[in-house]
Amino acid sequence: MPSDFIRDIINEHNKTERFGGRVHTRFPPEPNGYLHIGHAKSVCLNFGIAAEYKGLCNLRFDDTNPAKEEVEYVESIIEDVRWLGFDWQDRLFYASDYFEQMYDYAMQLIKAGKAYVDDSSADEIRESRGTLTQPGKESPYRNRTVEENLDLFQRMRAGEFEDGSRVLRAKIDMASPNLNMRDPVMYRILHAEHHRTGSKWCIYPMYDWAHGLEDSIERITHSICTLEFEDHRPLYDWFLDELGVYHPQQIEFARLNLTYTIMSKRNLRQLVEKSDVRGWDDPRMPTVSGLRRRGYTPESIRTFAERIGIAKTDSTIEVALLEHCIREDLNKRAPRVMAVLHPLRIVIDNYREGKIEEMEAVNNPEDPGMGTHKVPFSRVLYIEQDDFMERPPKEFFRLAPGREVRLRYAYIIKCVSVVNDKAGKAVELHCTYDPETRSGEAGSSRKVKGTIHWVSAEHALKAEVRIYDRLFTVENPGDVADVETVLNPHSLQTVTGYLEPSLKSATPGGKYQFERLGYFCVDAKDSSPEKLVFNRTVTLRDTWAKIAKKL
RNA sequence: UGCCGAGUGGUGUAGUGGUAGCACACAGGACUUUGGAUCCUAUGGCCCGGGUUCGAGUCCCGGCUCGGCAGCCA
């Protein structure tokens, strides 16, 4: 069980019986965009804590702003939370289900002389709010009678007034050093169609007013949110105390930041709208749907969420940790296959034309229980262009003129000649094989420096392979004024890959390790049996790349 | 220069008065029919200054730095 300041607080509450030993959290997204990895952190935290303490966690849509919210988003959020592996049973709630009760509570506050209808314009309210260093000024409407406020508020609800003409405000303290306490707006008039309540309402509650009530109504014990709401906690507490209702504890933690990644919904939406990516679920997006399509597993994301920890310090996690988590998971479960993405044709001169052998390949060296499968071998093969160099440095131990290398699960071959094109680029290799060295047989114990992967040209399956790189060229794209300027133009490279024939039966979402290259998955949207499409999830650790870089 | 909050290796995160630990990254090595995986080893840290104490990352005081807040967004 992880240890962090939130669990410390819960342990303390359990000790003092503040909530009678109960633990009940909630994940409260606003349905105005797709969930991203930062939300996943919160989902794992809230549902994870509930599970650890044998408590409950609700899924609740904070749908108080009809102007920005859509059912498409609620559907995607439900799918994503479920995919991450969490269950809210029958506790799927919507803030909009509580509108009537919130209205009653507002009437109660008005009757207590703690809220008033303000006829000021938005501009006037902003100007009278004061500044960070100067107190605000009280509204001329602040001291209306309770009767007048009641009447006006009822008429606001009845639709008698235009958008923006009036608001309901809490009467707190215009001189408070905490701006949130300077008579915050509780309701605004919005004649807008709500995705659930239709046109039933034309006044909508503001976050600060609504959120605590939602938590209170659901008997939440620990209302976990991000740091920027720290200043709002006094207001959260004020509303609940003035109403005298059940009062959860709000706790704030630092949101997730990732290197080379943007997390704000605004920026993510911009990428989608400007077609910098192919939608919210583009595999380059840090959205849960993007990661899923990219080939990330729920387990890897949960592990990641656990490893990054929970704290109040603003921090930025290196994206390498996320990549480590998916490699670690896929290493244990992904079957190994061979695929050549940048083919170089080789002919084994001394291998009889038309001869075909079935080589036995291990499905996963980490798990012998996964068995083996056959791969056809023949005279003409493809190997990776990177696995051959005409003038290799001494650190390179793959194929080169006159050098030997092992073909994975097959024979040791030697390169005897190179065919170059006009530009001098190697386009075909002629090799000989050593018949004594077939994998698994007596002579196969002979050692050579390198082993490379291959596919038989005549048996190869062609597929579209999408190779992804980071979306941004800088570590902190979120700090840049316009993210368009730091987009990586090479974040997607599409190639035709040559795959071993066993992949014929690959189904959408299927995850594989292409030996020596990385983990790849069948694209869930664009792949079909006629035209397979693979996404590269993540590369394997590449020691050679590091060496080559230093040369 | 208002209010709130945060400062522990490169990046994160533990440590609640008693040997500063873990993960990732990085460097080296072992092993290897994936330059994968695995294993081993190394480098590297308590923002600063005072104070309390036998003893301070931890408690106190004073600084410094960074983040958040002036939507009828959440």
Side-chain angles (χ1 to χ4, degrees):
Chain A
M1 182 134 126
S3 156
D4 55 63
F5 81 98
I6 294 180
R7 281 170 248 244
D8 288 346
I9 291 170
I10 293 174
N11 291 338
E12 185 61 24
H13 286 162
N14 283 163
K15 205 190 303 173
T16 61
E17 294 272 300
R18 169 151 169 205
F19 297 106
R22 241 170 15 98
V23 174
H24 197 152
T25 57
R26 101 264 95 113
F27 174 63
E30 183 192 12
N32 69 341
Y34 281 64
L35 255 34
H36 55 59
I37 181 82
H39 294 110
K41 173 184 181 183
S42 176
V43 170
C44 292
L45 212 216
N46 280 293
F47 280 93
I49 280 178
E52 279 167 37
Y53 289 91
K54 307 208 181 326
L56 300 169
C57 181
N58 299 350
L59 173 58
R60 177 173 76 221
F61 287 99
D62 204 2
D63 55 351
T64 57
N65 186 355
K68 295 186 173 178
E69 298 153 7
E70 294 173 27
V71 286
E72 176 194 350
Y73 298 130
V74 344
E75 284 164 3
S76 76
I77 290 168
I78 286 173
E79 181 187 4
D80 288 349
V81 177
R82 190 168 283 147
W83 178 77
L84 281 169
F86 300 104
D87 182 15
W88 50 88
Q89 293 151 314
D90 58 349
R91 297 179 316 284
L92 170 60
F93 300 125
Y94 294 83
S96 53
D97 288 340
Y98 311 139
F99 282 173
E100 193 66 47
Q101 183 157 10
M102 289 176 185
Y103 177 81
D104 290 343
Y105 279 135
M107 294 290 276
Q108 185 183 326
L109 224 51
I110 292 172
K111 286 174 190 157
K114 300 289 186 178
Y116 63 97
V117 172
D118 194 335
D119 302 356
S120 306
S121 68
D123 284 346
E124 286 165 337
I125 288 179
R126 176 164 23 81
E127 280 157 24
S128 63
R129 187 153 30 226
T131 68
L132 294 177
T133 52
Q134 290 171 305
K137 291 187 178 54
E138 295 187 352
S139 163
Y141 305 95
R142 196 173 198 256
N143 293 310
R144 292 221 245 232
T145 63
V146 168
E147 292 67 34
E148 195 182 355
N149 281 319
L150 248 19
D151 173 60
L152 252 16
F153 186 52
Q154 283 166 330
R155 289 164 62 194
M156 276 170 64
R157 174 180 182 169
E160 289 188 30
F161 311 122
E162 289 185 0
D163 286 5
S165 59
R166 273 172 243 260
V167 291
L168 181 70
R169 289 228 258 173
K171 191 192 279 194
I172 309 181
D173 177 9
M174 288 307 291
S176 173
N178 180 343
L179 299 243
N180 297 121
M181 302 299 271
R182 318 241 262 225
D183 290 10
V185 172
M186 295 165 62
Y187 276 95
R188 73 281 214 188
I189 301 172
L190 238 40
H191 290 267
E193 188 78 4
H194 185 282
H195 66 100
R196 297 199 87 230
T197 60
S199 55
K200 180 175 181 198
W201 294 88
C202 60
I203 57 172
Y204 289 91
M206 297 288 289
Y207 170 87
D208 286 309
W209 166 243
H211 205 87
L213 295 180
E214 296 159 22
D215 290 337
S216 180
I217 290 166
E218 294 176 16
R219 314 299 282 186
I220 296 302
T221 55
H222 303 273
S223 178
I224 301 169
C225 59
T226 44
L227 248 30
E228 67 270 27
F229 293 103
E230 216 155 11
D231 289 338
H232 296 240
R233 181 160 21 96
L235 181 52
Y236 179 101
D237 292 337
W238 189 89
F239 280 131
L240 264 14
D241 288 341
E242 291 299 328
L243 252 16
V245 297
Y246 172 80
H247 193 154
Q249 176 67 52
Q250 175 179 307
I251 304 171
E252 313 83 18
F253 72 100
R255 61 159 13 111
L256 170 67
N257 294 298
L258 260 189
T259 55
Y260 299 101
T261 309
I262 50 165
M263 218 65 94
S264 90
K265 283 189 199 170
R266 197 189 107 253
N267 284 155
L268 293 175
R269 186 176 295 107
Q270 183 188 333
L271 294 177
V272 173
E273 286 170 357
K274 292 204 173 179
S275 298
D276 294 320
V277 295
R278 300 173 177 174
W280 286 95
D281 66 348
D282 185 295
R284 290 166 291 182
M285 291 282 271
T287 51
V288 172
S289 50
L291 291 166
R292 174 168 60 233
R293 199 169 160 196
R294 175 85 171 242
Y296 275 75
T297 58
E299 290 81 358
S300 69
I301 293 173
R302 280 189 252 126
T303 301
F304 173 72
E306 202 172 296
R307 293 207 182 147
I308 59 180
I310 299 295
K312 299 194 71 157
T313 321
D314 283 305
S315 60
T316 302
I317 308 293
E318 290 175 344
V319 72
L321 179 58
L322 214 211
E323 294 175 345
H324 167 80
C325 291
I326 186 58
R327 283 193 192 104
E328 181 181 56
D329 189 29
L330 260 17
N331 177 49
K332 286 181 303 197
R333 43 211 288 195
R336 271 59 170 173
V337 292
M338 291 195 284
V340 172
L341 301 187
H342 298 97
L344 173 59
R345 183 183 152 93
I346 72 171
V347 180
I348 315 287
D349 291 333
N350 60 340
Y351 196 82
R352 181 160 56 77
E353 207 143 351
K355 180 176 176 182
I356 294 164
E357 285 181 90
E358 293 287 326
M359 302 304 189
E360 185 171 52
V362 171
N363 287 333
N364 188 338
E366 302 295 314
D367 179 6
M370 286 175 71
T372 62
H373 70 280
K374 302 281 197 228
V375 187
F377 183 88
S378 65
R379 186 168 192 265
V380 180
L381 311 170
Y382 292 124
I383 64 167
E384 211 67 58
Q385 287 170 21
D386 284 352
D387 286 337
F388 172 78
M389 277 183 104
E390 273 203 81
R391 282 173 298 280
K394 67 177 189 304
E395 293 85 353
F396 183 86
F397 39 85
R398 276 115 91 148
L399 202 58
R403 283 218 214 163
E404 281 190 324
V405 79
R406 171 169 292 281
L407 293 178
R408 179 84 159 147
Y409 298 124
Y411 299 98
I412 289 173
I413 59 166
K414 177 188 246 176
C415 175
V416 293
S417 67
V418 184
V419 179
N420 297 292
D421 63 11
K422 288 131 287 186
K425 187 186 167 201
V427 291
E428 182 178 286
L429 267 31
H430 283 269
C431 302
T432 56
Y433 82 111
D434 178 348
E436 305 297 304
T437 57
R438 204 232 229 230
S439 287
E441 291 181 4
S444 73
S445 57
R446 183 150 81 82
K447 302 288 180 217
V448 285
K449 208 77 159 114
T451 299
I452 65 174
H453 62 277
W454 52 274
V455 296
S456 166
E458 71 171 289
H459 300 92
L461 215 60
K462 281 195 196 178
E464 175 175 328
V465 180
R466 298 172 181 171
I467 298 171
Y468 300 103
D469 192 3
R470 51 176 61 118
L471 236 195
F472 298 101
T473 55
V474 297
E475 253 194 52
N476 294 307
D479 294 347
V480 175
D482 181 5
V483 296
E484 301 281 316
T485 62
V486 291
L487 275 172
N488 175 6
H490 310 297
S491 63
L492 168 61
Q493 185 199 348
T494 303
V495 301
T496 297
Y498 293 80
L499 322 182
E500 64 167 67
S502 72
L503 252 1
K504 180 87 187 153
S505 57
T507 53
K511 295 170 178 62
Y512 300 88
Q513 182 194 106
F514 288 0
E515 290 219 28
R516 302 206 309 131
L517 296 176
Y519 295 98
F520 293 74
C521 76
V522 181
D523 189 81
K525 254 189 181 170
D526 299 339
S527 193
S528 67
E530 297 72 43
K531 196 201 176 199
L532 286 170
V533 177
F534 280 84
N535 294 312
R536 186 174 75 187
T537 307
V538 66
T539 60
L540 252 24
R541 275 186 61 218
D542 190 348
T543 306
W544 164 243
K546 282 179 193 168
I547 297 167
K549 214 170 162 183
K550 282 189 244 171
L551 294 176

